[in-house]
Amino acid sequence: MEFEIDQSRFLAALSLAQTVADKRGTMPVLANVLLRANADGSVVCSATDMMTSLTETVSAEVKTPGSLTVGVKHLHGVVRTLSSGNVRVKGLDNHWVQLNAGRSEFKLMGMPESDFPELPDASGGKSKLEYVEVPAHALSDLIAKTHFSVSTDEARVNLNGVLFECDGEKGTMVSTDGHRLTKFELDLPGPKLDKGIIIPRKGMLEIRRVLDRVSGEVGLAMGDQHLFVKADDMVLSVKLNNVTFPPYKAVIPAAFQRFALLGRDDLLHSLRRAEVMAPEKTATVRLSLNPGKLELTSDNPDLGVAHQELPIDYDGEELTAGFNARYLIEVLDVIDTQEVRLEFQGELDPCVVKPVDGPDFLGVVMPMRI
Amino acid sequence: MIFHVDMDAFYASVEVREDPSLRGKPVLVGGDGRRGVVCAASYEARVFGCRSAQPMAVAVRRCPQAIVLRPRFELYEEASNRVFEVFDRYSPLVEGLSIDEAFLDMSGSEKLFGPARVAAEALRKDVFETTGGLTCSVGISRIKFISKIASAMNKPDGLTEVAAGSELEFLGPLPIGKLWGVGPKTRERLAEIGVEVVGDLRRFGKEDFVRRFGEHGAHLYALAHARDPRRVETGRERKGISHEDTYHQDVAGTTSLRAKLLSQATRVADRLVRKDLLGRTVKLKIRDTDFKTESRQCTLPEPTNRATVIYEAACQLLESVDLERRRFRLTGVGVTQLEGRGSGPPRQLDLLASLEKPKDDKGDQLQAVLTAVRGRFGHEALFPAAAGRDARAGASGATSKTRDDDG
């Protein structure tokens, strides 16, 4: 097998493949990229960790069709440092791969390409998959506003992904790590899903990487076990975990006793300052809601105390509750309206953060017992 | 400045407070059985050579007229809580060493309480008034271990201050055994090289001394030179509370073992409730007739003080123990990773907890009531029937050991 390919296009494909590939090494071949050169003048780069799989087709000057597989980390490392121009890739005996660019030559040890697993069929095989076109930026926005509260605790499998619901007109994403929950809904002429699907964290981040490279629309389709995302010359498939997301609507407070309107920037900046002085591990900051003002106090016995006051329009009962500053900061970070609304029940009840005159977004943050 | 505050003959003093007719009489608190041990001796009893940790039989022989009382831990805990409340008023940095002694870091408190000696007198008065007449002794110095030695100098009801700069002078004439970590063995070895008092030790060069006594030597050398960099540590993790029984008749089979665990979990839970603590890690200890001891532990999702939760965790742990053809002579249930209820570090609450199990504050309340009843009327008053008759206090069949390492 032999082909010649543009360095920057090759690099873009390898960059994506590199994040998908599994470097932890339970199956060594999963740390590889599969390169298949076709007679029609294209090279397909594939990578998978068995949960998330990606193929990207790049045009190239194919001299001899064929395929090979080689560790993506080092291939990417080499290609990244090459100067722009053409790169020649050639398969040698015993799975060796030779790379030539200008006057440089590299030989990398590959593996039998037959070891590389077969990837999910993006056409759906017999039961043909129907792709629905959705605006890339909308999907990207959904992920951007909810990804940060996905749980990384592997013991809570059903929280290790973002819940995606779509009725064909509106799309919703919800994530929670048990301490806070984020929900965002927007108009999305997406595929009609009978029930919500949980897109695992890694798959979600890969989708976002793909979307970053696309302007316009991407195709979405649901297979038996996979969600497929098709964009330009890329196809991403994400295997869905067969777990059930908690009935999240039940934990979004339906009522509140107090609410306050605040400038988003003021609050965000105060919280960032408070976080500096808060205990590192818990990031606890004490919020006191008083008529006319919101007080933020962080107290780190090893460091000192920070006390801040923000003028607010509030004349209800006083309330003091402790929060992990990080949780509030992360919610505010993805709100882009000037004003935000905080809704409280009691000091041990969740606080709801919403944009004022903004999209259908909300963050629910559980307080700390202080 | 660091205060070391030590209550005087604590258990005995509490008993005297409860029953003023005991005042001025020799009082021994401890088990009165064949294997009983003295937990506390009033100063009147100490005159006769009675002291804590002595076998009760020995103490009674030395002082036949002594009044022997069984310990009532709930009372002492209650009094201890009052005492520590006073400590907390004087310093934000209180390191409890046990139920009746603590270090207080009084640095920077002069503006509030005046000079150390004045503050200490105020604190002693405060303890006396708050507890209804209990006395304590205070040691004051810049160095932790010196404060501890000092508090014992003028017991009971005393105050000893080692002024800044006079630490070496103070330590010099003290018997070497007063230093932390010098037991009878070390004392003997030190005597061989002519070290009787702390000052003697200073005649040696550090290297010479370390060569003779190793790492331990370096430690002693530092202490003898009044070097103890340890700070007063408030956040010191409480170790744990456990209850174990050595059975006079071996126990076998899941059902019998579970009954024992239920009884033990109940006792541990009671102690947690009384101390207003929650435990996060549950431990199981089990020893078979070949003296093979196994222990298992697991961490709960939420810290608890409930007997049922501790029991269930212990049963789960028991499942991983091979019970086939084995008989057991000891089981024990304990909890570690203790934290105060409300006073512990800030705890992130779980948003989904209400989904996973319905909110039941009732469980906490129930545990509190059960504990209170048993505290007042004894363990036989209310006990899970499944724990069996042996669970009842006084029922023979086991030698119990309860540990509260939560100083």
Side-chain angles (χ1 to χ4, degrees):
Chain A
M1 180 197 90
E2 189 178 351
F3 62 89
E4 239 181 83
I5 192 167
D6 176 63
Q7 183 263 349
S8 64
R9 298 226 42 202
F10 195 29
L11 177 61
L14 292 176
S15 300
L16 271 185
Q18 202 237 152
T19 59
V20 170
D22 180 8
K23 279 135 280 177
R24 279 171 304 179
T26 36
M27 270 171 77
V29 75
L30 297 184
N32 281 14
V33 58
L34 176 75
L35 302 175
R36 200 176 67 238
N38 298 319
D40 64 1
S42 67
V43 170
V44 182
C45 306
S46 312
T48 180
D49 66 355
M50 301 306 278
M51 287 295 292
T52 310
S53 309
L54 178 91
T55 63
E56 179 168 359
T57 309
V58 189
S59 59
E61 198 181 310
V62 177
K63 294 209 170 83
T64 327
S67 43
L68 60 83
T69 175
V70 63
V72 67
K73 187 180 163 199
H74 291 103
L75 181 62
H76 173 259
V78 169
V79 173
R80 187 163 52 98
T81 48
L82 291 175
S83 39
S84 56
N86 272 1
V87 183
R88 192 152 55 90
V89 181
K90 191 178 177 188
L92 307 176
D93 288 346
N94 294 322
H95 320 299
W96 282 90
V97 182
Q98 182 179 311
L99 226 68
N100 290 86
R103 294 168 71 176
S104 310
E105 183 177 284
F106 303 85
K107 275 195 186 123
L108 297 162
M109 201 164 38
M111 287 172 80
E113 49 105 1
S114 55
D115 286 1
F116 200 84
E118 197 162 323
L119 302 191
D121 187 350
S123 69
K126 269 181 248 161
S127 54
K128 232 170 147 25
L129 281 178
E130 266 184 52
Y131 281 83
V132 180
E133 298 286 311
V134 300
H137 67 86
L139 196 55
S140 182
D141 210 16
L142 277 171
I143 297 174
K145 282 187 163 48
T146 52
H147 75 91
F148 56 89
S149 55
V150 170
S151 171
T152 51
D153 178 358
E154 283 175 25
R156 301 181 94 164
V157 191
N158 63 334
L159 306 185
N160 289 162
V162 61
L163 176 75
F164 177 49
E165 296 175 322
C166 190
D167 62 2
E169 287 166 15
K170 281 191 175 298
T172 309
M173 278 196 185
V174 186
S175 69
T176 178
D177 61 7
H179 298 157
R180 56 338 196 339
L181 175 149
T182 321
K183 173 175 171 268
F184 183 37
E185 182 173 301
L186 47 62
D187 292 333
L188 192 81
K192 256 191 190 166
L193 301 172
D194 303 334
K195 60 182 181 95
I197 56 170
I198 300 178
I199 307 174
R201 190 168 169 276
K202 184 175 173 188
M204 169 191 78
L205 296 175
E206 281 322 319
I207 293 175
R208 202 175 168 202
R209 282 197 188 95
V210 167
L211 295 172
D212 280 348
R213 283 186 40 194
V214 181
S215 54
E217 307 211 300
V218 293
L220 279 190
M222 263 306 296
D224 285 343
Q225 294 179 51
H226 295 87
L227 172 71
F228 292 92
V229 183
K230 238 184 194 174
D232 296 349
D233 301 316
M234 295 172 275
V235 180
L236 182 72
S237 67
V238 178
K239 190 162 185 234
L240 302 176
N241 276 330
N242 197 13
V243 288
T244 312
F245 202 76
Y248 69 90
K249 285 175 185 148
V251 300
I252 297 177
F256 56 90
Q257 283 177 348
R258 312 159 166 90
F259 78 92
L261 300 177
L262 288 109
R264 177 258 189 198
D265 289 356
D266 288 347
L267 180 58
L268 184 56
H269 295 147
S270 303
L271 282 165
R272 288 218 173 101
R273 288 188 287 266
E275 194 196 10
V276 176
M277 296 292 284
E280 217 168 295
K281 215 170 138 193
T282 57
T284 313
V285 51
R286 193 184 295 257
L287 258 60
S288 269
L289 209 54
N290 298 294
K293 67 177 180 190
L294 175 75
E295 295 175 81
L296 284 89
T297 311
S298 41
D299 184 352
N300 182 343
D302 295 330
L303 207 63
V305 186
H307 183 85
Q308 304 174 72
E309 286 187 14
L310 288 174
I312 52 167
D313 187 12
Y314 177 77
D315 58 359
E317 268 179 83
E318 287 180 15
L319 174 98
T320 298
F323 288 96
N324 181 327
R326 193 97 291 269
Y327 294 166
L328 292 173
I329 289 170
E330 287 181 343
V331 176
L332 291 169
D333 259 336
V334 297
I335 292 182
D336 34 28
T337 57
Q338 282 196 346
E339 251 193 330
V340 292
R341 178 186 165 100
L342 303 185
E343 294 173 359
F344 298 91
Q345 188 82 264
E347 57 176 32
L348 299 180
D349 296 314
C351 162
V352 178
V353 186
K354 289 174 177 169
V356 174
D357 294 331
D360 193 352
F361 171 86
L362 65 83
V364 182
V365 180
M366 201 63 183
M368 304 179 96
R369 195 189 285 276
I370 46 173
Chain B
M1 279 303 203
I2 295 172
F3 286 9
H4 178 255
V5 187
D6 194 10
M7 299 302 293
D8 301 321
F10 187 54
Y11 295 176
S13 304
V14 173
E15 293 294 346
V16 173
R17 181 192 69 182
E18 293 297 298
D19 178 3
S21 73
L22 297 173
R23 196 168 297 280
K25 294 179 184 160
V27 175
L28 298 170
V29 177
D32 53 3
R34 202 159 43 93
R35 292 176 175 174
V37 167
V38 178
C39 302
S42 72
Y43 286 89
E44 291 81 1
R46 293 190 196 192
V47 174
F48 295 91
C50 304
R51 50 181 177 72
S52 55
Q54 201 168 42
M56 186 58 86
V58 174
V60 173
R61 211 177 308 133
R62 291 194 177 171
C63 182
Q65 71 273 37
I67 295 151
V68 178
L69 300 170
R70 298 198 66 157
R72 294 190 284 174
F73 290 105
E74 312 86 74
L75 269 181
Y76 314 145
E77 272 161 22
E78 207 276 332
S80 170
N81 290 342
R82 295 289 90 71
V83 171
F84 275 80
E85 278 166 27
V86 175
F87 294 169
D88 287 337
R89 286 208 290 276
Y90 282 81
S91 170
L93 293 171
V94 176
E95 176 180 345
L97 293 176
S98 71
I99 190 167
D100 67 343
E101 60 175 316
F103 284 117
L104 278 68
D105 188 338
M106 298 295 288
S107 313
S109 71
E110 291 224 342
K111 273 196 185 140
L112 274 172
F113 301 110
R117 184 171 274 275
V118 175
E121 283 302 356
L123 177 132
R124 279 164 25 79
K125 188 158 168 273
D126 217 344
V127 167
F128 187 84
E129 282 166 7
T130 310
T131 56
L134 299 184
T135 61
C136 61
S137 298
V138 179
I140 308 171
S141 83
R142 288 188 301 185
I143 294 152
K144 243 176 148 177
F145 88 98
I146 294 182
S147 297
K148 183 161 164 90
I149 293 173
S151 71
M153 300 294 281
N154 280 312
K155 253 181 168 312
D157 204 10
L159 173 65
T160 307
E161 182 178 6
V162 180
S166 64
E167 288 90 356
L168 289 176
E169 209 177 305
F170 170 78
L171 287 176
L174 292 180
I176 194 75
K178 290 267 180 193
L179 292 187
W180 277 0
V182 180
K185 275 269 158 60
T186 315
R187 209 162 59 215
E188 226 170 82
R189 287 183 58 200
L190 285 166
E192 281 168 20
I193 58 166
V195 176
E196 302 275 354
V197 297
V198 177
D200 295 339
L201 197 152
R202 294 196 207 122
R203 289 200 306 266
F204 292 83
K206 185 177 177 189
E207 269 138 50
D208 183 23
F209 200 73
V210 172
R211 201 172 51 242
R212 286 166 196 260
F213 291 92
E215 218 168 284
H216 187 47
H219 172 71
L220 291 181
Y221 191 84
L223 291 184
H225 287 81
R227 286 195 279 268
D228 178 16
R230 281 168 301 180
R231 299 200 304 184
V232 173
E233 281 171 37
T234 46
R236 202 163 76 125
E237 204 188 326
R238 295 172 168 122
K239 280 193 199 121
I241 287 177
S242 63
H243 185 97
E244 55 184 63
D245 293 298
T246 306
Y247 306 109
H248 298 168
Q249 273 195 331
D250 300 331
V251 183
T254 313
T255 317
S256 313
L257 284 166
R258 284 188 171 204
K260 301 295 183 197
L261 298 185
L262 179 55
S263 153
Q264 292 165 338
T266 308
R267 281 159 196 271
V268 168
D270 281 353
R271 303 196 72 72
L272 286 171
V273 171
R274 274 199 217 112
K275 290 172 164 275
D276 220 7
L277 293 172
L278 301 172
R280 193 180 267 278
T281 299
V282 175
K283 289 184 169 189
L284 168 75
K285 181 173 166 187
I286 188 162
R287 178 177 295 153
D288 67 12
T289 41
D290 294 335
F291 274 86
K292 186 178 173 222
T293 307
E294 291 177 62
S295 48
R296 302 274 190 279
Q297 67 176 61
C298 66
T299 300
L300 303 168
E302 285 268 300
T304 191
N305 62 2
R306 291 195 206 161
T308 47
V309 176
I310 298 169
Y311 167 66
E312 276 161 25
C315 287
Q316 288 234 313
L317 294 171
L318 185 67
E319 278 176 23
S320 67
V321 177
D322 183 13
L323 304 178
E324 283 284 305
R325 283 194 287 273
R326 288 172 81 189
R327 304 181 65 77
F328 298 91
R329 64 190 318 274
L330 174 149
T331 66
V333 173
V335 290
T336 56
Q337 272 201 289
L338 303 183
E339 55 188 66
R341 254 157 70 101
S343 67
R347 205 169 82 227
Q348 177 65 50
L349 299 171
D350 196 326
L351 182 63
L352 307 177
S354 60
L355 295 175
E356 280 153 16
K357 52 177 188 283
K359 254 191 183 169
D360 62 339
D361 298 333
K362 282 199 186 118
D364 281 344
Q365 287 167 18
L366 180 64
Q367 182 67 54
V369 169
L370 292 175
T371 302
V373 169
R374 282 190 289 262
R376 181 135 179 222
F377 299 105
H379 264 266
E380 58 270 36
L382 248 182
F383 222 84
R389 295 190 64 82
D390 289 355
R392 304 191 162 193
S396 59
T399 305
S400 299
K401 196 166 102 188
T402 305
R403 282 181 68 91
D404 285 7
D405 292 336
D406 70 330

